[in-house]
């Protein structure tokens, strides 16, 4: 059995880990990206490659150091650079002396035989029926995680005890990790909800609530170690948060037939065609659709995250100022990479939230409220 | 009726096609002035700060043309001219960007979608989606396009005979095709990079003339036969996704294998996405082929003296290498 590992991207770790365990592989748990990961990636990656490529490369190298011999990730076919990560990583790993470690799952129609070979390496000696059950279970686990995470991002704004929601979220992840059957999963789901409901919350009137949407490139949106813990920070500033990207949405839209999954994403994409006539790669068009969606839902502001130099997101960033004006919706963009300064970006974020509060509640009241808070 | 063609991005490659096409439809084409500081300033003012310099330059040219009072701007949405490949996301979203960058001039942007398996198979249906072109019937549009393609093929043939694009743009309307260019420089350099970086007067800082003055012959991707490039790209399990990136990368690999090429210079814009990958691959391969490879990264802040120093050092090194090799072979003492 291979020692398998995979990229670290938010909750997807839970999914990959479960697949690995249930198919009988030894799973090398991917380390959450740290400064060390980033440094390692930056050292070997092309200087102007986008940030996720560097973080992933760093992660792979750390995993190899931990003993992993089978790394798996997904491919793509452009026009965004992310589809080429696999080839690039393979070439760089080869130049560092690691051959044959990386398996990239491209669309089966590209190289059917390779796809099948790779699949067999992962499937090992398990029957196809068992694999199907594993995938079904993992899909359910992801759905549950997403549901709970959305609740977590809402509740964080009102916690009485700082950090209590984050601690509960960690417990929930562990609960889902330990669940290997459907009844266990459902029990974990119930316990998760109970856990969150039992936390002490500040009562806030509906009209005093602030809601912020996060849109942008999928990796930096989903992996909070690369986006300065944006969701947590906004929560601390008293904002409810919803991301544009959740893993289950991605699966519904990209992997399942739409007549089964009825993805919300398809609707979002339609809304995005108002801004981009055709798909220009990445999630640029969906993100523009999400701006409309958040605006329709009455959100108070949007945080737009992109890796520095991201091709599709730079195009959306080009049209965002005008859209923000048209919709009368505050939008702030953060370009992230190994050079981003935390203090600078947090100051911008705080100012952004302050301005939204001042606009929503009136400047005078906002100042009084701040004084009262000390 | 005046249609402005910005002298930026793919102007350098497709102008001979676009110009007769638009003139056939009864329009008068106006090309913006060559890029200068003023244009870059205009472009930087309306663009996202971190976007690559060719896009800023393009925005500058559009602004310039609008100030001049043209009726329309021709800025096609380049989607596909080769099977299975596409253009960089910035080209795909270019017309949308223009709409939101110059909201008052939304109706003046002529942005037909160019999508086909080659340059001559553009569908008139796609063209007609643009109201301006919908006024013409299909056969007229197609005939006009084919006249453009004919002129463009002449232009490409001149390029393949060893002429740089500015020279080819001067020559393609002459009645006779020029002979294959006679080059007798001391060394030969493979100069790879996008046409809008290398041939833009300000962005590329006239790197071609500089190298030629130092006694170097140049070979570029547009001088190669398509099959030379395909031969490099086809064996790759997964090629790059972008038409021009593949051309440039394929040309680079081809130059690595050509004994008469002494070294390769890669000109790329700061923040260019496709080049960040292909550049690294060229770099990793340089060792394998033992051929000198240099990257010149340009943007609106780059200085000429920096370029001059670097290419001087590079050409000096190539000349010395060549001399030593010739002595080793006994051809020279």
């Amino acid at each position: 059995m291979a020692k398998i590992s995979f990229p670290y991207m938010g909750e997807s770790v839970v999914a990959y880990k479960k697949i690995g365990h249930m198919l009988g592989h030894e799973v090398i748990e991917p380390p959450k990206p740290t400064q060390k990961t980033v440094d390692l990636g930056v050292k070997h990656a092309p200087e102007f490659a986008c940030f996720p490529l560097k973080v992933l490369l760093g992660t792979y190298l750390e995993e190899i150091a931990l003993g992993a011999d089978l790394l798996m990730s997904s491919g793509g076919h452009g026009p965004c650079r992310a589809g080429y990560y696999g080839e690039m990583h393979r070439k760089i790993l080869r130049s560092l002396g690691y051959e044959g470690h990386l398996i990239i799952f491209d669309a089966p129609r590209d190289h059917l035989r390779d796809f099948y070979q790779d699949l067999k390496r992962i499937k090992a000696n398990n029957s196809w029926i068992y694999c199907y059950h594993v995938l079904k279970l993992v899909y359910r686990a992801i759905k549950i995680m997403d549901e709970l995470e959305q609740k977590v991002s809402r509740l964080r704004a009102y916690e009485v005890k700082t950090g209590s929601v984050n601690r509960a979220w960690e417990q929930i992840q562990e609960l889902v990790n330990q669940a290997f059957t459907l009844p266990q999963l459902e029990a974990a789901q119930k316990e998760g909800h109970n856990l969150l409901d039992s936390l002490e919350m500040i009562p806030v009137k509906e009209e005093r609530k602030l809601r912020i949407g996060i849109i942008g490139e999928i990796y930096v949106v989903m992996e909070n170690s690369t986006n300065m813990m944006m969701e947590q920070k906004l929560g601390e500033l008293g904002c409810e948060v919803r991301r544009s990207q959740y893993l289950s949405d991605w699966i519904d839209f990209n992997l399942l037939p739409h007549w089964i999954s009825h993805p919300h994403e398809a609707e979002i994409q339609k809304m995005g065609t108002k801004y981009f006539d055709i798909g220009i790669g990445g999630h640029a068009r969906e993100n523009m659709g999400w701006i409309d969606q958040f605006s329709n839902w009455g959100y108070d502001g949007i945080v737009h995250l992109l890796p520095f130099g991201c091709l599709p997101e730079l195009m959306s960033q080009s049209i965002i100022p005008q859209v923000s004006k048209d919709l009368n919706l505050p939008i702030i963009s953060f370009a992230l990479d190994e050079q981003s300064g935390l203090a600078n970006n947090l100051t911008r974020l705080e100012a952004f939230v302050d301005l939204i509060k001042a606009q929503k509640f009136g400047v005078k009241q906002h100042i009084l409220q701040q004084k009262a808070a000390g | 009726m005046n249609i402005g063609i910005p002298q930026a991005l793919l102007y350098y490659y497709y102008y001979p096609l676009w110009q007769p096409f638009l003139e056939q439809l009864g329009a008068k084409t106006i090309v913006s002035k060559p890029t200068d500081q003023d244009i870059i300033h205009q472009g930087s003012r309306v663009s996202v700060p971190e976007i690559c310099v060719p896009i800023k330059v393009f925005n500058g040219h559009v602004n310039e043309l609008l100030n001049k009072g043209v009726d329309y701007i021709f800025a096609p949405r380049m989607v596909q001219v080769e099977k299975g490949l596409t253009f960089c996301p910035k080209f795909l979203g270019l017309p949308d960007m223009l709409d939101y960058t110059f909201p008052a001039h939304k109706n003046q942007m002529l942005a037909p979608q160019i999508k086909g398996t080659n340059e001559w198979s553009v569908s008139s249906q796609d063209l007609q989606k643009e109201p301006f072109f919908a006024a013409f019937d299909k056969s007229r549009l197609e005939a006009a396009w084919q006249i453009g393609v004919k002129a463009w093929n002449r232009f490409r043939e001149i390029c393949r005979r060893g002429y740089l694009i500015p020279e080819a743009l001067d020559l393609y309307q002459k009645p006779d095709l020029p002979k294959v260019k006679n080059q007798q420089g001391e060394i030969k350099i493979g100069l790879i990079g996008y046409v809008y970086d290398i041939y833009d007067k300000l962005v590329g800082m006239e790197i071609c003339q500089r190298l030629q003055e130092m006694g170097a012959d140049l070979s570029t991707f547009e001088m190669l036969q398509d099959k030379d490039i395909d031969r490099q790209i086809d064996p790759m399990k997964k090629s790059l996704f972008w038409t021009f990136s593949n051309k440039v990368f394929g040309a680079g690999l081809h130059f690595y294998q050509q004994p008469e090429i002494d070294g390769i210079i890669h000109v790329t814009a700061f923040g260019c996405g496709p080049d960040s990958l292909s550049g690294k691959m060229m770099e990793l391969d340089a060792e394998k082929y033992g051929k000198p490879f240099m990257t010149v990264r340009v943007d609106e802040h780059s200085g000429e003296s920096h370029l001059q120093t670097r290419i001087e050092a590079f050409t000096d090194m190539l000349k010395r290498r060549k001399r030593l090799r010739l002595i080793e072979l006994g051809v020279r003492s």
Side-chain angles (χ1 to χ4, degrees):
Chain A
M1 287 292 130
K3 291 182 185 168
I4 66 168
S5 202
F6 32 83
Y8 197 109
M9 180 169 92
E11 24 146 19
S12 71
V13 176
V14 174
Y16 275 121
K17 216 154 76 177
K18 213 174 271 310
I19 296 177
H21 274 308
M22 293 185 76
L23 295 181
H25 296 285
E26 190 182 331
V27 176
I28 303 288
E29 196 160 333
K32 194 167 175 68
T34 58
Q35 189 60 46
K36 199 179 132 224
T37 320
V38 174
D39 291 345
L40 204 55
V42 167
K43 188 174 165 193
H44 299 290
E47 187 183 357
F48 285 90
C50 36
F51 192 41
L53 185 142
K54 298 176 185 172
V55 181
L56 290 186
L57 182 64
T59 307
Y60 290 151
L61 288 169
E62 283 186 329
E63 286 165 353
I64 289 173
L66 288 171
D69 53 17
L70 191 61
L71 307 168
M72 49 178 188
S73 186
S74 57
H77 39 79
C80 160
R81 272 182 284 181
Y84 211 70
Y85 280 8
E87 296 299 305
M88 203 63 226
H89 282 140
R90 198 174 280 148
K91 200 149 183 165
I92 296 170
L93 287 177
R94 192 180 297 143
S95 78
L96 297 173
Y98 305 113
E99 185 85 44
H101 278 69
L102 196 57
I103 285 189
I104 301 293
F105 286 100
D106 270 310
R109 66 184 146 84
D110 293 351
H111 296 278
L112 191 59
R113 180 174 297 190
D114 290 352
F115 180 79
Y116 183 67
Q117 292 288 344
D118 291 344
L119 204 61
K120 272 209 338 217
R121 251 176 106 178
I122 302 289
K123 173 187 161 269
N125 295 325
N126 302 288
S127 72
W128 288 110
I129 297 181
Y130 179 69
C131 288
Y132 170 73
H133 280 294
V134 169
L135 290 179
K136 218 171 119 182
L137 188 82
V138 168
Y139 176 65
R140 184 89 190 99
I142 293 169
K143 279 266 181 205
I144 290 172
M145 295 274 288
D146 283 346
E147 176 193 317
L148 285 162
E149 196 181 8
Q150 291 187 6
K151 190 166 176 177
V152 163
S153 308
R154 281 200 303 274
L155 291 181
R156 208 181 266 124
Y158 314 118
E159 61 185 4
V160 171
K161 231 194 235 155
T162 316
S164 58
V165 173
N166 283 346
R167 270 194 296 280
W169 175 230
E170 272 162 31
Q171 281 174 347
I172 291 170
Q173 285 175 318
E174 205 38 49
L175 284 173
V176 178
N177 258 336
Q178 301 300 336
F180 288 102
T181 63
L182 203 58
Q184 281 175 359
L185 259 182
E186 271 156 8
Q189 179 186 22
K190 216 167 154 197
E191 209 180 326
H193 277 294
N194 288 341
L195 206 61
L196 290 173
D197 293 339
S198 69
L199 295 175
E200 202 185 339
M201 291 289 146
I202 305 167
V204 177
K205 281 190 212 136
E206 196 54 38
E207 68 268 17
R208 300 289 308 180
K209 285 184 176 171
L210 276 183
R211 293 197 178 83
I212 304 284
I214 297 182
I215 60 167
E217 191 274 336
I218 184 163
Y219 187 80
V220 294
V221 166
M222 293 210 6
E223 178 42 47
N224 59 19
S225 65
T226 59
N227 65 21
M228 314 174 292
M229 318 289 270
M230 186 55 76
E231 274 173 89
Q232 283 89 326
K233 284 282 154 17
L234 282 167
E236 284 165 25
L237 293 170
C239 306
E240 284 185 18
V241 181
R242 196 197 187 286
R243 302 196 304 247
S244 59
Q245 305 276 358
Y246 288 94
L247 195 55
S248 58
D249 293 340
W250 187 86
I251 294 172
D252 283 349
F253 188 67
N254 291 291
L255 299 184
L256 298 177
H258 287 188
W259 54 271
I260 294 179
S261 59
H262 298 295
H264 180 213
E265 199 81 358
E267 222 171 285
I268 295 289
Q269 202 177 57
K270 235 177 264 158
M271 292 163 94
T273 41
K274 189 173 134 197
Y275 302 101
F276 287 115
D277 289 356
I278 59 167
I280 65 162
H283 291 89
R285 187 158 52 149
E286 287 82 348
N287 281 327
M288 295 317 292
W290 271 107
I291 290 180
D292 260 17
Q293 176 70 86
F294 282 131
S295 164
N296 293 345
W297 282 345
Y299 271 57
D300 301 297
I302 288 177
V303 172
H304 174 226
L305 302 173
L306 68 154
F308 178 83
C310 173
L311 306 172
E313 289 310 323
L314 272 178
M315 292 321 277
S316 32
Q317 203 190 341
S318 302
I319 71 179
I320 276 177
Q322 188 60 37
V323 175
S324 169
K325 237 182 263 170
D326 293 349
L327 296 173
N328 193 21
L329 180 70
I331 305 176
I332 189 169
S333 293
F334 288 100
L336 303 160
D337 71 357
E338 69 273 16
Q339 316 275 357
S340 15
L342 193 65
N344 149 47
N345 281 339
L346 289 184
T347 313
R348 284 180 63 207
L349 187 69
E350 279 169 26
F352 178 69
V353 174
D354 273 351
L355 285 171
I356 291 177
K357 282 182 184 164
Q359 194 190 35
K360 185 165 182 179
F361 306 132
V363 177
K364 217 170 172 183
Q365 213 183 347
H366 174 60
I367 293 170
L368 283 177
Q369 193 191 18
Q370 284 220 316
K371 271 192 184 150
Chain B
M1 177 190 11
N2 298 327
I3 298 184
I5 300 181
Q7 193 174 145
L9 294 182
L10 293 177
Y11 156 88
Y12 297 98
Y13 199 74
Y14 285 128
Y15 176 73
L17 197 166
W18 294 342
Q19 191 257 350
F21 166 64
L22 295 170
E23 304 246 316
Q24 281 297 315
L25 299 176
K28 188 169 169 284
T29 53
I30 296 175
V31 177
S32 54
K33 64 179 178 183
T35 312
D36 55 16
Q37 281 299 342
D38 170 46
I39 290 213
I40 293 228
H41 283 313
Q42 292 185 41
S44 303
R45 251 203 321 271
V46 295
S47 313
V48 178
E50 61 175 269
I51 213 159
C52 59
V53 67
I55 299 285
K56 289 182 188 170
V57 167
F58 180 78
N59 278 338
H61 282 280
V62 171
N63 203 27
E64 164 82 12
L65 284 167
L66 288 172
N67 288 343
K68 260 191 180 168
V70 294
D71 300 318
Y72 291 101
I73 303 272
F74 188 66
R77 188 195 297 274
M78 303 299 294
V79 178
Q80 192 179 51
V81 291
E82 237 177 301
K83 197 170 169 249
L85 297 180
T86 178
F87 280 74
C88 164
K90 289 172 188 165
F91 285 96
L92 302 182
L94 202 64
D96 305 307
M97 183 191 75
L98 286 181
D99 284 351
Y100 284 89
T101 309
F102 305 100
H105 302 280
K106 224 170 169 169
N107 297 330
Q108 279 168 268
M109 303 298 169
L110 285 187
Q113 175 168 303
I114 306 294
K115 191 175 179 183
T117 46
N118 47 40
E119 273 84 2
W120 46 94
S121 68
V122 165
S123 96
S124 46
Q125 248 166 339
D126 277 348
L127 291 174
Q128 281 187 332
K129 278 187 195 136
E130 190 67 52
F132 172 83
F133 294 112
F136 302 94
D137 58 35
K138 278 184 188 172
S139 54
R140 175 115 189 254
L141 282 174
E142 250 153 49
W145 188 265
Q146 291 314 324
I147 288 172
V149 168
K150 220 171 142 195
W152 179 74
N153 277 333
R154 262 179 86 82
F155 160 78
R156 292 286 298 121
E157 179 54 33
I158 296 171
C159 289
R160 285 192 204 102
R161 293 186 180 192
Y163 291 86
L164 293 166
I165 280 181
E167 297 165 333
L169 282 174
D170 286 339
L171 291 170
Y172 83 100
Q173 278 173 322
K174 302 244 165 76
D176 298 314
L177 282 176
K179 286 203 187 74
V180 174
K181 196 172 172 185
N182 190 13
Q183 304 206 79
Q184 287 174 323
E186 199 179 332
I187 49 171
K188 190 161 189 183
I189 291 179
L191 182 65
I192 57 174
Y194 301 119
V195 286
Y196 44 80
D197 288 335
I198 290 180
Y199 299 114
D200 189 289
K201 281 230 164 64
L202 210 83
V203 173
M205 294 174 282
E206 304 187 315
I207 186 169
C208 297
Q209 284 91 310
R210 285 170 201 269
L211 286 168
Q212 281 167 339
E213 276 163 24
M214 292 170 196
D217 290 340
L218 297 177
S219 192
T220 59
F221 84 86
E222 71 272 6
M223 293 179 193
L224 299 181
Q225 302 291 339
D226 289 347
K227 64 175 196 299
D228 286 334
I229 291 174
D230 293 343
R231 202 181 301 135
Q232 303 299 329
I233 298 298
D234 290 344
M236 289 169 71
K237 189 179 161 201
K238 191 170 181 179
S239 70
L240 294 161
F241 313 127
W242 313 284
T243 299
F244 279 90
S245 307
N246 261 333
K247 285 190 204 290
V248 168
F249 181 55
L253 293 180
H254 176 78
F255 292 149
Y256 271 144
Q257 292 161 19
Q258 295 303 305
E260 76 266 19
I261 300 276
D262 298 297
I264 297 174
I265 297 180
H266 183 202
V267 180
T268 175
F270 179 92
C272 174
D275 275 1
S276 70
L277 304 182
S278 60
K280 177 74 178 182
M281 293 201 281
M282 289 291 297
E283 207 180 296
L284 288 172
D285 283 344
E287 278 174 45
K288 191 164 89 192
Y289 294 105
K291 210 162 257 190
F293 173 76
M294 177 170 83
T295 305
V296 173
R297 192 161 275 120
V298 291
D299 67 5
E300 66 270 38
H301 308 294
S302 39
E304 289 186 8
S305 44
H306 137 256
L307 180 82
Q308 186 73 15
T309 313
R310 286 192 64 199
I311 58 175
E312 246 171 40
F314 190 72
T315 45
D316 282 352
M317 185 262 294
L318 291 185
K319 284 177 194 165
R320 206 177 56 233
R321 253 173 76 104
K322 186 158 193 176
R323 238 173 274 144
L324 284 174
R325 208 179 67 221
L326 292 178
I327 290 170
E328 258 172 42
L329 290 171
V331 182
R332 232 178 107 153
S333 57

